[in-house]
Amino acid sequence: MSEALQPGAVIGILGGGQLGRMLSVAASRLGFRCHVYDPAPAPPAGHVAERVTTAGWEDAAALAAFAASVDAITLEFENIPTAALDVLEPLCPVRPGRRALEISQDRLAEKDFLNALGLRTAPYAAVADAESLEAALGKIGAPAILKTARLGYDGKGQARIMVPGDAPAALAAMAGAPSVLEGFVHFSHEVSVIVARGLSGEVVCYDPGENVHEGGILRTTTVPARLAPGQHMEAVLLAGKIVNALDYVGVMGVELFVTAEGLVVNEIAPRVHNSGHWTQAGCAVDQFEQHIRAVTGLPLGNGARHADVVMENLIGDEVARLPELLRAPDTSVHLYGKGDARPGRKMGHVNRIIR
Amino acid sequence: MSEALQPGAVIGILGGGQLGRMLSVAASRLGFRCHVYDPAPAPPAGHVAERVTTAGWEDAAALAAFAASVDAITLEFENIPTAALDVLEPLCPVRPGRRALEISQDRLAEKDFLNALGLRTAPYAAVADAESLEAALGKIGAPAILKTARLGYDGKGQARIMVPGDAPAALAAMAGAPSVLEGFVHFSHEVSVIVARGLSGEVVCYDPGENVHEGGILRTTTVPARLAPGQHMEAVLLAGKIVNALDYVGVMGVELFVTAEGLVVNEIAPRVHNSGHWTQAGCAVDQFEQHIRAVTGLPLGNGARHADVVMENLIGDEVARLPELLRAPDTSVHLYGKGDARPGRKMGHVNRIIR
């Protein structure tokens, strides 16, 4: 169970976007090779992986061949269809495993799980139709946010209900999908904890980063985050509690609201996380390598931070700032190799060391 | 001439060892793709490059096809046969160019070039046979080192002459190859300067690192090096003089002896250099990315160092130290993906941040 993969072993990565790309680079640093599986042709991770399979999540034969070609499987995004896991799991270890994916694929399951652990979340209620939405609004009140329970990502599939009269339009925006109504949380700022749990059960946290979002998309993460010492410890213990409860293997991003009453869990992501990109500049072992270490059964890095960092995403045509950013001192530019700078598309990020 | 390649452009890398591997990773950070050319099958760089060509340096058709498939060509080692350059150069820019390669492929040409620039080297003389060796020993004295003029690498093709009686055995070890006799330099320590020159002619130096060799192989590089402020500046100016004289494009390693009489140039390497690996941990833009920036016509990073670093090579079976190294604080491990840990083979390196 806790035997480490040997150098030269092949790691299968489900999803070939920028996270898979940076996972592949980290794997190479540890002497591993990568095989990326993605439904879309020419994925960004393909530029730095030894092998790429282009096939859909429903292609059982391609999934089986992929599983047979690798020594362990991990993933860069949580919305892998369960049917694909049914094919992969009997053939090859998938880390993190099914339970973490099932929970994070469904906002309702996630909130139920977190509350059962004794952690605080926004007030929430399941919504299936106009009647249950009315009941939910009665319980939670407006303003609130209606979100589809599944496949939410970067602000998609969400509708605000500022006053009860907004309810019909919000429900219509869900297009009949099972949804969750979430109450607003009055928070001063958002932080996230990048936590890792190894195959042997060891848990390591990075220092929490402070996040700023715009239009539902992460703009910047700054470390250290503004947290009282007690909050820092609370954030770390809480993240550890989550990964231990799931018998989790890999890196997880835990987003937290900082409120006057304490920390409230916004959401968890069972994968490397945009708000952990700062670790590339601030730590000897970044979140991508930490994840690969966990997935391959190697010991985790200790997570110590040697520098303060501001991470900034380059979204859409902001890549045009490249000439200036390339000249900026103490600044590392990371581009994802995506051709088309569509609005809202994450094209790269920048880590700036503060000294 | 100074127009930068666009993201998505393909960089051809001649040689697929660890240097090509780390160049390929750096290129991906800037959104470029890589095509590696190596005579040996399954080169380490192939794990992180989009494409690999396995063909010899004499294979003109393969070289031409390679050149046609890329937007610029660079290299990870200096001993590219001139005939291969004859094929490549008319088809695609090769950076750094022929002159730097010709000079660094031949110890005699290199020493002539450096002395013509007004820089100091070890005393030296060309040796072709017993007669010229005797004359050289008469001029330089013993102890001295006889080295083949071409294809010297990591202490291979060298023979010490401690007393004149060692001369015949040393000459025999050269196996008839044109050689150079070099006098010993009495130095306190060795440093190296990693210097970069961009396509536009801008020059950027990293802080000099202090090197320790064992058996002709680099063991450690420590930054900062022990250098008086005046020596630091002298080292930087000297490195700049060399790259400007060659109209050089790319990163170059300049090895220097620190002596009571000043700095003496040991040798130059027209490529990223083992003694520059520390930049991965100590600088926002490491030597590999700096080289890719130069070769693609992008602006250079400013070279500022934000941390003190000790780089240590993992040679042969020292990779067995991996479990301990993976747990060491502030330590980044880089493995090269080589299967066979032969004695003397560079298997990886470790960067440790000192704070």
Side-chain angles (χ1 to χ4, degrees):
Chain A
M1 165 70 180
S2 68
E3 195 168 283
L5 295 189
Q6 294 300 305
V10 181
I11 301 169
I13 302 176
L14 300 172
Q18 65 265 26
L19 301 180
R21 179 177 169 101
M22 293 184 275
L23 284 171
S24 185
V25 165
S28 81
R29 279 202 303 270
L30 296 175
F32 298 112
R33 295 140 65 204
C34 288
H35 184 170
V36 167
Y37 189 104
D38 199 299
H47 301 164
V48 285
E50 196 180 28
R51 199 169 155 198
V52 178
T53 292
T54 305
W57 299 121
E58 73 299 334
D59 186 339
L63 287 165
F66 174 75
S69 77
V70 302
D71 298 296
I73 294 173
T74 188
L75 41 104
E76 65 144 24
F77 85 125
E78 56 270 40
N79 291 307
I80 312 288
T82 310
L85 296 177
D86 290 340
V87 177
L88 297 171
E89 282 180 335
L91 300 171
C92 186
V94 180
R95 298 168 185 152
R98 185 177 204 111
R99 187 153 170 243
L101 295 183
E102 283 174 344
I103 284 174
S104 60
Q105 283 177 5
D106 189 302
R107 291 180 194 281
L108 197 58
E110 184 177 305
K111 289 217 164 26
D112 287 346
F113 163 74
L114 292 167
N115 281 276
L117 273 186
L119 305 178
R120 295 178 58 208
T121 65
Y124 68 103
V127 170
D129 49 26
E131 192 177 358
S132 52
L133 176 53
E134 193 183 336
L137 274 170
K139 173 183 160 196
I140 291 165
I145 311 178
L146 189 62
K147 302 177 177 178
T148 55
R150 301 182 70 85
L151 267 176
Y153 198 71
D154 280 343
K156 293 167 196 158
Q158 305 194 1
R160 291 192 176 214
I161 300 179
M162 301 308 288
V163 295
D166 294 342
L171 191 63
M174 301 299 109
S179 302
V180 183
L181 186 72
E182 295 184 9
F184 272 96
V185 174
H186 296 280
F187 60 94
S188 56
H189 52 294
E190 188 205 286
V191 302
S192 56
V193 179
I194 306 300
V195 57
R197 188 167 177 277
L199 202 51
S200 67
E202 61 176 332
V203 174
V204 172
C205 278
Y206 292 104
D207 281 349
E210 182 167 335
N211 302 328
V212 175
H213 291 84
E214 263 174 40
I217 301 179
L218 184 66
R219 291 255 20 137
T220 63
T221 300
T222 302
V223 277
R226 288 172 296 157
L227 283 178
Q231 289 177 318
H232 185 132
M233 184 53 69
E234 185 190 348
V236 165
L237 290 176
L238 172 163
K241 195 170 189 176
I242 293 170
V243 291
N244 281 329
L246 293 169
D247 199 19
Y248 190 79
V249 176
V251 160
M252 173 183 281
V254 179
E255 292 185 4
L256 301 169
F257 296 130
V258 181
T259 79
E261 294 79 35
L263 300 177
V264 173
V265 183
N266 179 26
E267 61 179 21
I268 63 176
R271 53 170 166 80
V272 289
H273 197 256
N274 194 166
S275 69
H277 291 1
W278 67 267
T279 57
Q280 295 173 315
C283 302
V285 175
D286 68 23
Q287 67 164 348
F288 303 99
E289 180 176 332
Q290 193 77 303
H291 185 77
I292 296 294
R293 287 179 180 220
V295 164
T296 58
L298 289 174
L300 300 183
N302 77 355
R305 178 173 58 82
H306 60 72
D308 295 352
V309 182
V310 176
M311 188 286 305
E312 185 180 4
N313 275 332
L314 299 176
I315 297 166
D317 59 12
E318 290 174 349
V319 282
R321 290 169 52 203
L322 208 53
E324 159 222 337
L325 292 169
L326 289 169
R327 288 187 170 87
D330 293 331
T331 300
S332 307
V333 174
H334 296 256
L335 298 182
Y336 303 153
K338 300 177 181 176
D340 186 13
R342 293 194 297 270
R345 193 177 200 199
K346 291 176 180 172
M347 301 300 291
H349 70 274
V350 172
N351 284 319
R352 186 160 49 90
I353 285 179
I354 308 300
R355 49 173 180 166
Chain B
M1 166 68 179
S2 68
E3 196 168 281
L5 296 189
Q6 295 300 304
V10 181
I11 301 169
I13 303 176
L14 301 172
Q18 66 264 25
L19 300 180
R21 178 176 169 102
M22 292 184 277
L23 284 170
S24 185
V25 165
S28 81
R29 278 201 302 270
L30 296 174
F32 298 113
R33 294 142 63 203
C34 289
H35 184 171
V36 168
Y37 189 104
D38 199 299
H47 301 164
V48 286
E50 196 179 28
R51 199 168 154 199
V52 177
T53 292
T54 304
W57 300 121
E58 74 299 332
D59 186 338
L63 287 165
F66 173 76
S69 77
V70 301
D71 298 296
I73 294 173
T74 189
L75 41 103
E76 64 145 23
F77 84 125
E78 57 270 38
N79 290 306
I80 312 289
T82 309
L85 296 176
D86 291 340
V87 176
L88 297 170
E89 282 179 336
L91 301 172
C92 187
V94 180
R95 298 166 184 155
R98 184 177 206 111
R99 188 154 168 243
L101 295 183
E102 283 174 345
I103 284 173
S104 59
Q105 284 178 4
D106 189 300
R107 291 180 194 280
L108 197 59
E110 183 177 303
K111 289 217 165 23
D112 287 346
F113 163 74
L114 292 167
N115 281 276
L117 274 186
L119 306 178
R120 296 177 59 209
T121 64
Y124 67 104
V127 169
D129 50 26
E131 193 176 0
S132 53
L133 176 53
E134 193 182 339
L137 274 171
K139 175 183 159 196
I140 291 165
I145 311 179
L146 189 61
K147 302 177 177 178
T148 55
R150 300 181 71 84
L151 268 176
Y153 197 71
D154 280 342
K156 294 167 197 159
Q158 304 195 2
R160 291 191 177 215
I161 300 179
M162 302 308 287
V163 295
D166 294 341
L171 191 63
M174 301 300 110
S179 302
V180 184
L181 187 71
E182 295 184 10
F184 271 97
V185 174
H186 296 280
F187 60 94
S188 57
H189 52 293
E190 188 205 284
V191 302
S192 56
V193 179
I194 306 300
V195 57
R197 188 167 178 278
L199 202 51
S200 67
E202 61 176 331
V203 174
V204 172
C205 279
Y206 291 103
D207 282 348
E210 182 168 334
N211 301 329
V212 175
H213 290 84
E214 262 173 41
I217 301 179
L218 184 65
R219 291 257 19 140
T220 63
T221 300
T222 301
V223 278
R226 288 171 296 159
L227 283 177
Q231 288 177 318
H232 186 131
M233 184 52 69
E234 185 189 348
V236 165
L237 291 175
L238 170 164
K241 195 170 190 176
I242 292 170
V243 290
N244 282 328
L246 292 169
D247 198 20
Y248 190 81
V249 176
V251 160
M252 173 183 281
V254 180
E255 292 185 2
L256 301 168
F257 295 130
V258 182
T259 79
E261 294 79 36
L263 300 177
V264 173
V265 182
N266 178 26
E267 63 180 21
I268 64 176
R271 51 170 168 80
V272 290
H273 196 257
N274 194 167
S275 68
H277 291 0
W278 68 266
T279 57
Q280 295 173 315
C283 302
V285 175
D286 69 24
Q287 67 164 348
F288 302 99
E289 180 175 333
Q290 192 77 303
H291 185 78
I292 296 295
R293 286 178 179 222
V295 164
T296 58
L298 290 174
L300 300 183
N302 76 356
R305 178 173 58 82
H306 59 72
D308 296 351
V309 183
V310 177
M311 187 287 303
E312 184 179 6
N313 275 332
L314 299 176
I315 297 166
D317 58 13
E318 289 174 350
V319 282
R321 289 169 52 203
L322 208 53
E324 159 223 337
L325 293 168
L326 288 170
R327 289 187 170 87
D330 292 331
T331 300
S332 307
V333 173
H334 296 256
L335 298 183
Y336 302 153
K338 300 178 181 175
D340 187 14
R342 292 194 298 270
R345 194 177 199 199
K346 291 176 181 173
M347 301 298 293
H349 70 274
V350 172
N351 284 320
R352 187 160 49 92
I353 286 181
I354 308 299
R355 51 174 180 166

